[in-house]
Amino acid sequence: MKNDADSEIISYIDTFLTVRGLSQNTKKSYKEDLFLLKSFILSLNIDIYRLDKYHAELFIKHLMDEGLSKRSINRVLSSCRGFYKNAYRLKKIPVNPFSGIKNSNENYKLPVFLTKPEVDSFISKNNKSDSFTDIRNLSILTLLYSTGGRREEIQSIDVKDIDFLNSEILVKGKGNKERLLFITQEAETYLKKYINERNKIVVHSEALFINKRGYRLSLSSFNNIFNSFEKVSGIQKHVTPHTIRHSFATQLMDNGMDIRSLQELLGHSSISTTGIYTHLSLQNLKNIYSKSHPHA
């Protein structure tokens, strides 16, 4: 039988919070915050004590979509933590679903990303020659943009991990968890060209991306490659492998991908981490509006 959310929230406020001696205004704020949660769980048709961490993260994402400030979201988080901490103390729940969700950093800056025309320009300007190094570097760039993979994931790929038949690459992400990256036709073309060149040198590693001596390319080499890309491109942004990952995610969000699917593609363990791209997408929309509206 479902617990009545209204009565559970009111009971919490009238008993536990009153015992703590909180003011009427403070208790009113708690009530407003918890009733935001109540409305959300009613939309999911779940019991207030059946909420798990996934639902809690979805709730935070919902608040972000509603346009609440980071300060307001952090206040709601605090109220929810307190409510479920009390429920845990009373043995109504086995675990507090909000305990592992961190506050938003109110001073957090949106990450740098490239627009689609900037990415196209970045690739074309770095398509310099048919040397082994340039072909390899361009393959790295297009693979990062194709997959949204992390630098460490791309660096760790072995040749055997690639499945050209299904356009997939098996990688190990954070926490040593395996996941699949998907390859676009453009990236596959560059990758096959690179592998053909790779096979012409003496190789001492199973690694996909190697240096001229045949050993796996280091993570610092990836950074150096992007430093050289940046000098050639002329784009007035600091571009790193993670910038390409941000660009991949932002453009998928702009093109209508739902946040749950994007979370899977990026390998995020928490959907709240993926939520930053809803803000990037909104910021991009605002920039377009400012440039397009005659009175903006």
Side-chain angles (χ1 to χ4, degrees):
M1 181 177 178
K2 280 192 174 183
N3 292 288
D4 180 65
D6 281 37
S7 62
E8 293 296 319
I9 291 170
I10 297 299
S11 174
Y12 168 69
I13 292 171
D14 288 346
T15 55
F16 183 71
L17 296 186
T18 299
V19 170
R20 289 178 59 192
L22 300 182
S23 70
Q24 289 300 319
N25 284 339
T26 301
K27 289 196 288 185
K28 181 182 177 183
S29 295
Y30 269 91
K31 183 177 179 180
E32 289 173 352
D33 294 342
L34 292 172
F35 269 53
L36 286 174
L37 175 66
K38 184 203 75 170
S39 297
F40 178 74
I41 64 173
L42 284 177
S43 71
L44 297 180
N45 194 31
I46 60 173
D47 188 282
I48 194 167
Y49 293 132
R50 293 283 184 177
L51 197 81
D52 59 21
K53 185 179 179 182
Y54 171 66
H55 295 123
E57 290 174 341
L58 280 183
F59 174 56
I60 301 307
K61 164 64 173 55
H62 166 72
L63 296 180
M64 294 167 69
D65 288 345
E66 290 293 307
L68 267 69
S69 67
K70 288 185 173 67
R71 179 173 296 180
S72 296
I73 291 174
N74 288 342
R75 191 199 67 224
V76 175
L77 261 174
S78 177
S79 298
C80 291
R81 285 195 200 101
F83 175 78
Y84 283 100
K85 182 178 180 180
N86 185 61
Y88 176 75
R89 183 179 62 84
L90 296 174
K91 302 187 185 312
K92 293 183 177 182
I93 54 173
V95 65
N96 184 341
F98 286 91
S99 62
I101 300 178
K102 297 179 181 178
N103 281 5
S104 297
N105 183 346
E106 292 176 24
N107 297 317
Y108 186 79
K109 294 182 179 179
L110 293 176
V112 175
F113 67 95
L114 302 181
T115 63
K116 178 64 167 62
E118 285 175 331
V119 171
D120 291 341
S121 174
F122 201 78
I123 292 173
S124 65
K125 288 183 178 179
N126 285 288
N127 192 357
K128 295 182 290 187
S129 73
D130 283 334
S131 70
F132 169 79
T133 301
D134 287 338
I135 292 172
R136 179 200 64 197
N137 293 354
L138 193 61
S139 180
I140 289 172
L141 173 57
T142 54
L143 192 60
L144 279 163
Y145 183 55
S146 165
T147 62
R150 300 178 178 92
R151 177 191 62 163
E152 294 80 0
E153 291 171 338
I154 302 300
Q155 185 255 0
S156 68
I157 295 171
D158 291 337
V159 175
K160 63 179 174 57
D161 297 327
I162 306 170
D163 178 0
F164 281 118
L165 184 63
N166 294 302
S167 299
E168 298 172 349
I169 301 178
L170 183 67
V171 298
K172 287 188 177 180
K174 285 189 175 181
N176 219 28
K177 294 179 180 178
E178 289 187 342
R179 68 189 188 95
L180 288 174
L181 303 180
F182 303 118
I183 323 170
T184 63
Q185 187 173 354
E186 178 188 38
E188 190 171 314
T189 299
Y190 285 114
L191 188 54
K192 286 179 176 178
K193 183 177 181 181
Y194 160 68
I195 290 174
N196 185 54
E197 294 300 314
R198 178 188 180 279
N199 292 338
K200 294 178 183 178
I201 66 175
V202 178
V203 179
H204 304 286
S205 169
E206 292 297 318
L208 172 62
F209 292 114
I210 57 175
N211 57 30
K212 289 181 178 179
R213 290 171 290 129
Y215 295 98
R216 187 183 300 273
L217 210 58
S218 67
L219 289 173
S220 60
S221 294
F222 272 68
N223 293 338
N224 293 335
I225 288 168
F226 273 78
N227 288 336
S228 66
F229 280 161
E230 196 174 320
K231 291 176 183 177
V232 172
S233 69
I235 292 175
Q236 299 303 306
K237 293 178 181 178
H238 180 46
V239 182
T240 67
H242 219 64
T243 307
I244 304 302
R245 178 171 161 86
H246 290 318
S247 306
F248 164 89
T250 306
Q251 288 163 30
L252 287 181
M253 184 67 79
D254 282 341
N255 289 332
M257 176 169 282
D258 66 277
I259 193 168
R260 183 65 173 160
S261 298
L262 185 60
Q263 178 194 3
E264 291 294 325
L265 285 177
L266 292 172
H268 286 161
S269 59
S270 169
I271 201 168
S272 58
T273 305
T274 320
I276 184 63
Y277 296 107
T278 63
H279 289 276
L280 284 170
S281 184
L282 178 60
Q283 187 61 48
N284 190 37
L285 185 61
K286 286 180 178 178
N287 291 339
I288 294 171
Y289 169 82
S290 296
K291 291 176 182 178
S292 305
H293 196 288
H295 292 171

